[in-house]
Amino acid sequence: MNIYTSFIISINVFFYLLKILINFLNIKKTSNNIPEEFKNYYNYEKYSKSQQYLKETTKFSMITSTIILLVKILFITQGMFNYINNIVISFNISPIFTGLTFVLIFFFIFEILGIPFSIYSIFKIEEKFGFNKMGKKTFFLDLIKSWIVNIIIISIILPVILFIFINSSMYSAWLYVFVSVIIFEIFIIFISPTVIMPIFNKYTPIEDCNLKNEIEIYMKKENFKMSGLFKIDASKRSTKSNAFFTGLGKFRRIVLYDTIIKNHNIHEILSILAHEMGHYKLKHIKKQMIISFIITGTIIFFISLFVNKNLFYYAFLVNGKHIYIGIVLFIMYIYIPFYTISSIILNYYSRKCEHEADIYSIKTYNHKDDMINALKKLSVDNLSNLYPHKLKVFFDYSHPPILNRIKKIKYIK
């Protein structure tokens, strides 16, 4: 193992330890005191349950992260990249299909490694705390479906990326790849509501006439055009609730979990949808997409620099320069600092957007108490952490802590 290999491993260990520290501080900050805001929503037993849920999910996350880190280190030190690449090269297929085969092998390695963790998380932890409603048949069907969708996506975009890197100069390749990836991402966003999402959930029109009429009146007032108003059968997998807008242009849909329809009154649901309307009207989604595209372009630029350097492959004990191996190595080992920095930026902006969308909800729908009640119910139903550590919020939270959010809503006039 050379000095460059040691440096790569050290970077991964550092960010692993940082994550462990943040999670440890977050657990330590838990409190047995039920906040005044939640006295009518939590009894002591259920609040203790939420604390226990946080501790168990966090500890399991730490165990998972530890095992993944060890596997990643073993892959480097045991020369697994060379070993698998030699097998793929022996198939004597074109460079692009060699690269596609190599990437798909690693995709399945980590997918299969992740199955026991997913099973334990869903059928032990989530079931223990009353969230899981999914049977093993649904779990494995979802898994197979997600594999098929991901294989199709990888098989479309990866050959394009490899073709560009192989046939373009290192100075222009990243730009062509960036444009191709952005076009493909926008295409996926367009087709997702009508092609991809229905693969996993059943979409049915809202049956509650009063709810449907209230939503349509509000959407008309906001001049919001949509292709449909749907609910999905989320309750067959979990008791957790959510509502969201999805798609672009004529493919735009409003989607409600059936659990949110069951657990919330009409004014609470409309307050949540008015919040989502705020994201749309204030152009948060477009702005976040632009920020995301800039980050994507930056990452692709750095990938183009790394995959063309022999020293990069030498650091991972790989013989020769192979673009497809370079992409896998970058995503597995070098992407971590980029992800951490980009997630801090995106999460900070997202938390700001959430406050602005709350203001929009109150000013356009004018049901402040219902909005607060809806947030409290969602928090209790999902056993959310009411006292997250500031570092946890800074690094990982895309939404403001619930108590902070409620406090700011109360000051909206």
Side-chain angles (χ1 to χ4, degrees), residues 274-296:
H275 169 92
E276 297 301 323
M277 180 63 71
H279 286 312
Y280 171 74
K281 289 290 186 177
L282 299 172
K283 303 189 186 313
H284 291 158
I285 298 169
K286 290 182 180 178
K287 291 174 183 176
Q288 286 175 329
M289 282 178 65
I290 291 170
I291 295 172
S292 177
F293 289 163
I294 292 170
I295 292 171
T296 299

Side-chain angles (χ1 to χ4, degrees), residues 13-278:
V13 171
F14 170 79
F15 281 96
Y16 159 78
L17 292 175
L18 177 63
K19 185 177 180 180
I20 294 294
L21 173 64
I22 292 168
N23 285 329
F24 174 76
L25 292 173
N26 195 47
I27 289 178
K28 198 170 182 181
K29 197 176 181 295
T30 55
S31 170
N32 291 324
N33 297 319
I34 302 175
E36 192 64 35
E37 294 283 356
F38 282 83
K39 287 286 175 68
N40 295 327
Y41 290 83
Y42 267 126
N43 57 35
Y44 180 77
E45 182 181 352
K46 188 162 187 178
Y47 186 68
S48 297
K49 187 179 179 182
S50 74
Q51 306 290 289
Q52 190 61 34
Y53 177 69
L54 171 68
K55 291 175 182 177
E56 287 205 25
T57 52
T58 303
K59 288 176 182 176
F60 182 66
S61 172
M62 291 187 199
I63 292 170
T64 305
S65 297
T66 303
I67 294 173
I68 290 174
L69 177 66
L70 292 174
V71 169
K72 287 168 68 177
I73 292 173
L74 281 173
F75 265 68
I76 299 177
T77 57
Q78 300 303 309
M80 290 299 295
F81 296 103
N82 263 331
Y83 177 74
I84 293 174
N85 189 46
N86 289 335
I87 294 174
V88 175
I89 289 175
S90 69
F91 297 156
N92 291 319
I93 51 182
S94 70
I96 289 176
F97 282 101
T98 298
L100 179 60
T101 305
F102 181 88
V103 170
L104 288 176
I105 286 173
F106 270 89
F107 168 78
F108 276 111
I109 287 173
F110 280 92
E111 282 292 311
I112 292 168
L113 284 174
I115 290 175
F117 298 108
S118 296
I119 289 174
Y120 187 86
S121 175
I122 293 169
F123 295 104
K124 290 293 183 181
I125 298 176
E126 296 294 304
E127 197 157 297
K128 175 181 177 180
F129 290 93
F131 289 128
N132 181 49
K133 298 298 178 184
M134 185 191 305
K136 290 182 173 60
K137 179 181 178 181
T138 302
F139 171 82
F140 283 105
L141 279 175
D142 281 354
L143 187 66
I144 293 168
K145 289 175 185 177
S146 68
W147 283 357
I148 292 170
V149 170
N150 282 307
I151 289 169
I152 292 171
I153 290 173
I154 293 170
S155 299
I156 293 173
I157 192 62
L158 184 63
V160 174
I161 293 172
L162 293 176
F163 178 84
I164 293 171
F165 273 125
I166 291 170
N167 294 284
S168 304
S169 72
M170 64 175 288
Y171 302 104
S172 60
W174 77 271
L175 184 58
Y176 298 140
V177 170
F178 171 63
V179 172
S180 301
V181 169
I182 296 306
I183 291 172
F184 188 69
E185 283 186 6
I186 294 172
F187 172 71
I188 292 296
I189 292 171
F190 265 109
I191 68 167
S192 182
T194 54
V195 178
I196 298 176
M197 295 176 70
I199 294 173
F200 299 93
N201 287 99
K202 183 180 179 182
Y203 282 69
T204 54
I206 299 292
E207 298 166 353
D208 188 324
C209 293
N210 291 331
L211 174 61
K212 182 180 178 182
N213 289 338
E214 286 289 325
I215 293 174
E216 288 176 346
I217 290 169
Y218 177 76
M219 296 302 156
K220 186 176 181 180
K221 180 175 77 74
E222 292 295 310
N223 194 27
F224 180 82
K225 296 179 181 179
M226 57 184 176
S227 65
L229 176 61
F230 298 90
K231 70 173 180 178
I232 58 172
D233 54 343
S235 58
K236 75 177 185 180
R237 291 180 176 83
S238 175
T239 60
K240 294 181 179 180
S241 300
N242 200 3
F244 56 92
F245 292 5
T246 183
L248 297 173
K250 67 179 182 179
F251 296 101
R252 191 184 297 119
R253 289 181 171 188
I254 293 176
V255 182
L256 303 175
Y257 282 27
D258 54 359
T259 49
I260 208 169
I261 295 174
K262 178 182 177 183
N263 298 331
H264 294 259
N265 65 44
I266 290 176
H267 294 312
E268 290 169 353
I269 293 172
L270 262 294
S271 295
I272 295 168
L273 290 180
H275 169 92
E276 297 301 323
M277 180 63 71

Side-chain angles (χ1 to χ4, degrees), residues 42 47 50-51 53-54 131 375 378-387 397 402:
Y42 267 126
Y47 186 68
S50 74
Q51 306 290 289
Y53 177 69
L54 171 68
F131 289 128
L375 292 174
L378 287 170
S379 182
V380 172
D381 290 344
N382 297 334
L383 295 182
S384 302
N385 181 16
L386 302 183
Y387 294 105
Y397 270 45
I402 189 66

Side-chain angles (χ1 to χ4, degrees), residues 264-265 267-269 271-272 365-375:
H264 294 259
N265 65 44
H267 294 312
E268 290 169 353
I269 293 172
S271 295
I272 295 168
Y365 189 60
N366 197 25
H367 281 263
K368 184 187 293 187
D369 290 339
D370 287 302
M371 181 65 178
I372 291 172
N373 289 338
L375 292 174

